Amino acid sequence: MNFKQYILVCGGTGCESSKSDEIYRNLLSAAESKDVKSDVQILKTGCFGLCEKGPIVKVLPDESFYVHVKPEDATEIIEEHVIKGREVKRLLYDTSDSKANKAMENLDFYQKQFRIVLRNCGVINPEDIDEYIARDGYAALSKVLSEMTPDDVIAELKISGLRGRGGAGFPTWLKWNLTKEVESDQKYVVCNADEGDPGAYMDRSTLEGDPHSLIEAMAIAAYTIGADYGYIYIRAEYPLAINRLKIAMEQARGYGLLGKDILGSGFNFDLEIRLGAGAFVCGEETALIASLEGERGMPRPRPPFPSVKGVFGKPTVINNVETWANVPVILHKGGKWFASIGTEDSKGTKVFALTGKINNSGLVEVPMGTTLREIVYDIGGGIKDGKKFKAVQTGGPSGGVITADYIDTPIDYASLQKLGSIMGSGGMIIMDEDDCMVDVAKFYLDFTVDESCGKCAPCRVGGKTMLHLLEGITKGKGTMDDIEKMKKIALGMSKASLCGLGQTAPNPVLSTLRYFEDEYLAHIQEKRCPAGKCKDLTVYEIISDKCIGCGLCARRCPVSCISGEKRQPHVIDQEKCIKCGECYSVCKFEAVSKK
Amino acid sequence: MSVNAIADIEFSSELTDFITEWKEKPGNLIMILHKVQQEFGFIPREAAMKVSELLDVPLAKIYGVATFYHFFKLKKPGKHNIQVCMGTACYLKGGQDLVEELQSLLGVELEEVTDDGEFSIETVRCVGCCGLAPVMVVGDEVFGKVEKQQLPEIIAKFRNR
Amino acid sequence: MGKLTLEELKKLRESKQKEMSLRDTSDKNVHIIIGMGTCGIAAGAKDAYSAFVDELAAHNLGNVTVKQTGCMGLCHAEPTVEVIMPEMPRIIYGNVNAQVARDIVRKHVLGKILVNDHVFDRPAIDIVEGGGN
């Protein structure tokens, strides 16, 4: 048996609710009645994303992408496409509104994603250098070593408009050039792979999926700035990534792509792995350098900048994994090609770890300028369990929340900053109506307080004090003065802290205060948590009309505070209740209320 | 304490070789502490003293570094150390509930070891599997989309292993 | 192979590219590629991997290679697997447990039928193989 065509019907929850099941059955019966059952296989698939355009039907091998398909379209798809081999034009997806498409005029694709950094992830075997080479791997390095001067490389990077992907967005060409211009007997290149944002894993995936792109990029940078040695500073918590990097470095050495006289050019370069040990502050360049030197990872005042005085006091270029992974593509395809993707001030793509209350959690790479709506709905497939979108958090502990009102904001460095968040390293956490914003702010602040190195007082004392206030609010002990106090502390921290950790630590608090002040007020004035997340403010009660007295909750209650006669409504003793929520989750009759 | 007592702990030849190899390299302390922890599961005081002696760095500096970083443990963990991820995605999806359930199942608090030495519980920062939240790690095994009800089964799987 | 010169690297690339495009005609013409990043493994990619190997051996299928790759980005559908073979479109399967892996061998590889409910869409075009130029 061999089918000529395959019709894929999206079975994602969004499409399902708009009758994809009926489409599927209609296609089956149309294929039967037209007697083409043996020519075409009709299947249900996982979510395609693009749920707002659903239901979606895709036909292979033609790659025809039909949107807004209705059950009555089934016959036409079978008659026209399958039998006559003609696409049903009116159902085809109009690709002209896709950002990535606009960047590349003569190209036609419906996907919202565009993969530069992740080009090889999920495609090559990361433990086989030959597969990387077959996909233009080390072609950029060859070109740089044989045809380009260091100034040429800088010029190409400048044209590309690449900016650092670790958070602040500093132009990469400028960073490299600063180090290149310094006279020194020894210089270093460093990869920051200490992905510390809790909720981000794009660097791990890149390292695990495409380790050679990092090695190639670092060699190019070393040649450009005049270094012959590099360090990869990576989280010890990523054993698989470390292992794949080691294998990649060994294979590169075997081919002479690391070591002495690389590709016969006379250029020497080698790399070493240094392990981090779980300190978020080491994402800060100067703290990372201290850690790499075997010290406590405490930041140092700048200037001097690492470009002048970095690792072991030598000029050093530090970039994060995602920034590095862009470099070989830019030099292979040209800075102009890269600059054609994205927006005016933000070129290229950005990888996000899309997680939280989203249907299709995943690693997504989109052209800069893509809107949050496109990411959440077209790629992410919307919010889990049909709940309401509340906010998206970007930038991790240094970032903030963006609410539904701003979901059409294009993603670039400036737009996110204007909304009180940042691009950050790429964590994108979706929150729904069940998430309490005060609790989220507390979560992030708890994190930064724990991670503060304690060197400077604004961060050490300010963070702790602010956390104390937040804890009070979530316990119903907050006062209206607390909000003003927090704002004052936040200002002090952001102005006076020594490094980025302290300067940005108040952001999650400020941002949630800005958009969800009503939730703070509910906690303070009404002693109520609207999302029902803050335990001290939650009250569980049994609705006597609904309770049938089965006694299940009473048996499951860990502190035995539920009582009642058999087949009679039960009661919770509020004095003893520890608010674990067990009764609420076990009751089969929705007879327990949570307020 | 006498000088002799300092060396009162055996290092495997692998660890000794590693220290010899790294001894002259600048900035070696963190790498060496990683190796020590790999061998003992934590950094025993005697081992810290021996490293201090071998590298000729003050013990205070070793403790300065070891206590700064979350990854280094100064207390012996259980045979099976259960790490519950507290990254943002896991937190939102009920990581805290898993911790509380584990505490009540095993009868220990965070960073304590059960009486039989089998289990200990700790919370960790993002393990990078946010797509599978909530996540926990036991030994080398990662468990994704964990529900409270699965915990007894997972514990049973590791007990007496 | 020892240390490469510029010329040798270019030749190596060309020969590897040729090898990959000859996939249809060589004796190893079916490729099963399993996403084995940390997430994939946590979701059970290793079980899928051994189920593939077992099932292929049971059917004496010597023309199939099973190999690993990094994360395909479809975290919600881990473990993920791509199947490339002659006369069939390239397909990405999601939520592949051991049973689905066996189904893929029996239905897709042997029967040339796609496995229902597990097909996922490729998230982006490939900029290396001609896309995006």
Side-chain angles (χ1 to χ4, degrees):
Chain A
M1 185 150 58
N2 208 342
F3 296 107
K4 294 192 195 90
Q5 278 165 325
Y6 303 87
I7 304 181
L8 311 178
V9 184
C10 180
T13 39
C15 291
E16 198 104 275
S17 59
S18 44
K19 302 189 179 163
S20 76
D21 204 43
E22 206 178 324
I23 297 170
Y24 172 71
R25 287 196 309 268
N26 285 6
L27 282 166
L28 280 177
S29 60
E32 177 121 21
S33 66
K34 300 285 168 193
D35 205 21
V36 286
K37 233 175 58 180
S38 54
D39 293 335
V40 58
Q41 187 188 1
I42 299 155
L43 301 126
K44 285 185 86 171
T45 70
C47 180
F48 280 112
L50 284 173
C51 303
E52 285 183 338
K53 306 246 183 306
I56 284 163
V57 169
K58 189 175 174 181
V59 184
L60 292 176
D62 302 342
E63 302 269 330
S64 312
F65 198 76
Y66 295 135
V67 295
H68 295 307
V69 180
K70 294 190 183 62
E72 52 270 29
D73 296 328
T75 322
E76 192 176 345
I77 292 174
I78 296 289
E79 283 183 351
E80 283 296 306
H81 199 143
V82 176
I83 299 175
K84 297 183 188 153
R86 295 193 296 229
E87 284 185 321
V88 185
K89 289 264 174 349
R90 64 177 183 91
L91 293 174
L92 279 175
Y93 177 45
D94 176 13
T95 52
S96 59
D97 69 337
S98 155
K99 255 289 162 319
N101 258 303
K102 268 185 198 151
M104 277 138 294
E105 285 161 13
N106 49 4
L107 220 78
D108 184 42
F109 55 95
Y110 60 85
Q111 288 104 328
K112 296 276 174 175
Q113 294 199 52
F114 190 76
R115 298 195 155 187
I116 296 174
V117 173
L118 303 174
R119 63 193 176 280
N120 288 324
C121 289
V123 178
I124 62 167
N125 178 351
E127 297 181 14
D128 185 352
I129 189 172
D130 288 354
E131 293 202 11
Y132 179 71
I133 289 173
R135 287 175 58 84
D136 298 335
Y138 293 105
L141 181 64
S142 308
K143 185 166 151 192
V144 166
L145 292 181
S146 61
E147 298 166 22
M148 295 173 85
T149 66
D151 285 323
D152 293 341
V153 177
I154 299 272
E156 202 66 46
L157 275 182
K158 193 173 174 181
I159 294 169
S160 78
L162 177 66
R163 295 169 63 176
R165 298 291 193 247
F170 195 72
T172 306
W173 73 270
L174 193 56
K175 203 173 201 176
W176 290 22
N177 201 43
L178 287 170
T179 313
K180 179 181 141 299
E181 295 301 318
V182 183
E183 289 280 332
S184 176
D185 57 332
Q186 175 75 58
K187 296 179 186 177
Y188 295 109
V189 290
V190 172
C191 170
N192 177 357
D194 192 49
E195 195 165 46
D197 172 358
Y201 55 99
M202 44 270 145
D203 291 352
R204 175 181 64 70
S205 295
T206 309
L207 291 164
E208 286 176 1
D210 192 14
H212 284 284
S213 68
L214 185 71
I215 297 172
E216 182 176 6
M218 290 179 78
I220 291 170
Y223 168 80
T224 308
I225 64 159
D228 66 359
Y229 207 73
Y231 293 97
I232 300 173
Y233 181 83
I234 182 171
R235 288 184 78 187
E237 291 91 335
Y238 286 174
L240 188 67
I242 295 167
N243 194 32
R244 292 208 172 135
L245 260 177
K246 282 185 181 160
I247 293 169
M249 282 160 58
E250 225 22 76
Q251 292 178 344
R253 281 192 197 108
Y255 277 170
L257 295 164
L258 279 178
K260 299 256 179 250
D261 190 22
I262 293 170
L263 294 169
S265 64
F267 165 64
N268 307 328
F269 178 65
D270 213 331
L271 268 173
E272 185 179 313
I273 292 176
R274 288 286 172 111
L275 301 182
F280 178 63
V281 69
C282 291
E284 172 79 17
E285 286 183 353
T286 56
L288 185 150
I289 289 167
S291 180
L292 214 151
E293 292 169 352
E295 309 282 334
R296 289 161 71 94
M298 308 234 257
R300 297 161 182 173
R302 300 183 297 185
F305 287 92
S307 49
V308 179
K309 204 161 176 263
V311 177
F312 303 119
K314 302 295 181 186
T316 304
V317 161
I318 303 181
N319 282 129
N320 89 327
V321 175
E322 190 180 339
T323 316
W324 285 121
N326 277 296
V327 169
V329 183
I330 291 173
L331 289 155
H332 184 65
K333 286 184 177 271
K336 233 177 108 184
W337 176 84
F338 189 83
S340 72
I341 304 152
T343 66
E344 197 49 47
D345 86 316
S346 307
K347 300 298 186 193
T349 60
K350 181 75 195 81
V351 184
F352 289 101
L354 183 62
T355 63
K357 309 288 179 63
I358 185 101
N359 273 319
N360 303 345
S361 61
L363 206 60
V364 307
E365 181 170 354
V366 290
M368 294 276 193
T370 303
T371 64
L372 284 167
R373 182 187 297 281
E374 287 175 288
I375 295 184
V376 173
Y377 290 97
D378 294 348
I379 298 172
I383 312 301
K384 252 196 151 67
D385 304 326
K387 298 226 168 163
K388 230 173 93 194
F389 171 84
K390 185 169 189 178
V392 48
Q393 209 278 353
T394 67
S398 309
V401 292
I402 298 166
T403 59
D405 292 344
Y406 300 94
I407 196 168
D408 288 307
T409 306
I411 290 167
D412 58 56
Y413 291 99
S415 306
L416 292 185
Q417 204 150 20
K418 218 162 76 195
L419 293 177
S421 188
I422 57 165
M423 179 83 74
S425 59
M428 187 173 269
I429 291 144
I430 310 298
M431 300 174 186
D432 67 10
E433 53 202 281
D434 293 341
D435 294 315
C436 167
M437 289 299 140
V438 185
D439 184 61
V440 165
K442 193 183 82 176
F443 168 81
Y444 280 115
L445 199 64
D446 187 46
F447 178 87
T448 35
V449 166
D450 198 30
E451 294 292 339
S452 168
C453 77
K455 186 168 177 174
C456 70
C459 175
R460 184 181 67 236
V461 182
K464 190 88 190 164
T465 312
M466 192 143 67
L467 180 61
H468 192 71
L469 293 173
L470 271 179
E471 279 170 350
I473 294 174
T474 57
K475 290 197 166 100
K477 293 176 188 151
T479 66
M480 287 307 287
D481 289 347
D482 291 351
I483 292 186
E484 279 320 301
K485 273 190 211 157
M486 287 199 297
K487 284 183 180 165
K488 269 192 190 152
I489 298 169
L491 185 71
M493 285 178 78
S494 65
K495 294 268 183 233
S497 293
L498 186 59
C499 80
L501 185 141
Q503 289 159 9
T504 59
N507 284 356
V509 181
L510 291 176
S511 152
T512 47
L513 263 175
R514 177 168 161 190
Y515 297 111
F516 296 98
E517 197 180 5
D518 57 322
E519 285 194 29
Y520 280 86
L521 295 183
H523 283 76
I524 295 171
Q525 295 174 331
E526 302 163 35
K527 312 289 175 208
R528 183 174 69 85
C529 173
K533 183 96 180 178
C534 298
K535 282 193 175 156
D536 292 295
L537 301 180
T538 310
V539 178
Y540 291 95
E541 273 172 341
I542 292 174
I543 308 162
S544 50
D545 291 353
K546 287 188 179 173
C547 179
I548 62 149
C550 69
L552 180 62
C553 58
R555 287 196 297 279
R556 296 289 283 272
C557 177
V559 291
S560 307
C561 73
I562 304 176
S563 57
E565 295 292 315
K566 246 190 180 172
R567 296 197 184 80
Q568 294 299 316
H570 283 44
V571 186
I572 299 175
D573 181 349
Q574 297 298 339
E575 292 281 288
K576 285 196 207 154
C577 174
I578 55 163
K579 299 170 185 182
C580 66
E582 190 70 17
C583 51
Y584 179 77
S585 53
V586 297
C587 181
K588 295 184 181 114
F589 307 94
E590 291 177 5
V592 180
S593 74
K594 175 175 161 183
K595 270 185 213 142
Chain B
M1 201 179 286
S2 75
V3 179
N4 284 341
I6 291 174
D8 203 17
I9 187 167
E10 280 287 321
F11 280 5
S12 70
S13 57
E14 195 196 336
L15 178 56
T16 314
D17 291 349
F18 185 86
I19 293 175
T20 316
E21 183 198 329
W22 278 78
K23 198 174 171 188
E24 300 305 323
K25 286 198 192 181
N28 52 13
L29 184 54
I30 292 175
M31 296 302 281
I32 289 171
L33 290 179
H34 270 298
K35 200 76 186 175
V36 170
Q37 178 154 309
Q38 208 182 353
E39 176 147 329
F40 297 100
F42 69 116
I43 298 173
R45 186 165 179 85
E46 295 77 15
M49 289 166 134
K50 189 156 169 170
V51 169
S52 148
E53 189 189 2
L54 290 170
L55 296 182
D56 197 23
V57 292
L59 187 61
K61 176 162 180 195
I62 293 180
Y63 272 91
V65 170
T67 53
F68 183 85
Y69 295 98
H70 291 287
F71 196 81
F72 295 128
K73 291 187 193 50
L74 299 177
K75 260 174 34 191
K76 191 174 177 173
K79 195 167 135 202
H80 308 291
N81 188 30
I82 304 177
Q83 300 175 309
V84 182
C85 182
M86 277 293 174
T88 317
C90 291
Y91 179 77
L92 291 180
K93 289 195 170 175
Q96 185 62 39
D97 293 343
L98 295 183
V99 173
E100 285 165 17
E101 185 74 10
L102 281 169
Q103 285 173 333
S104 90
L105 283 171
L106 293 170
V108 286
E109 294 298 308
L110 278 181
E111 280 160 49
E112 280 182 6
V113 185
T114 51
D115 289 339
D116 57 6
E118 286 282 314
F119 294 100
S120 52
I121 321 169
E122 65 173 338
T123 56
V124 290
R125 299 305 186 205
C126 192
V127 292
C129 293
C130 314
L132 301 173
V135 171
M136 60 183 241
V137 185
V138 189
D140 293 332
E141 210 168 324
V142 182
F143 296 86
K145 297 181 185 167
V146 183
E147 286 174 32
K148 268 199 306 196
Q149 294 77 2
Q150 291 171 274
L151 292 174
E153 194 188 325
I154 294 173
I155 291 172
K157 186 176 156 187
F158 284 91
R159 197 178 285 280
N160 304 323
R161 179 150 108 183
Chain C
M1 196 176 287
K3 295 202 169 187
L4 303 174
T5 62
L6 273 174
E7 202 44 47
E8 285 164 349
L9 176 65
K10 213 173 139 204
K11 277 200 189 125
L12 176 67
R13 176 173 305 115
E14 282 162 5
S15 81
K16 289 288 163 193
Q17 280 169 348
K18 217 173 188 175
E19 217 171 88
M20 283 169 123
S21 65
L22 282 179
R23 268 176 177 166
D24 282 10
T25 50
S26 73
D27 56 339
K28 289 267 186 196
N29 60 0
V30 180
H31 299 262
I32 294 174
I33 304 166
I34 307 181
M36 292 184 84
T38 301
C39 295
I41 293 171
K46 282 185 177 164
D47 293 342
Y49 194 102
S50 35
F52 274 118
V53 173
D54 273 5
E55 194 67 20
L56 291 169
H59 293 282
N60 266 323
L61 291 168
N63 62 330
V64 185
T65 50
V66 184
K67 67 168 198 184
Q68 64 168 357
T69 185
C71 161
M72 300 188 198
L74 301 165
C75 308
H76 62 286
E78 292 287 356
T80 45
V81 169
E82 179 166 18
V83 184
I84 306 173
M85 62 184 282
E87 298 168 36
M88 294 284 279
R90 287 174 74 149
I91 294 288
I92 291 177
Y93 286 110
N95 300 318
V96 180
N97 57 25
Q99 187 50 47
V100 177
R102 291 176 196 281
D103 276 356
I104 290 173
V105 173
R106 287 178 210 151
K107 292 186 180 159
H108 189 125
V109 178
L110 283 168
K112 299 198 171 167
I113 310 170
L114 304 188
V115 180
N116 209 0
D117 280 332
H118 286 276
V119 177
F120 280 77
D121 200 25
R122 184 174 308 282
I125 55 158
D126 188 342
I127 64 159
V128 180
E129 284 184 6
N133 269 316

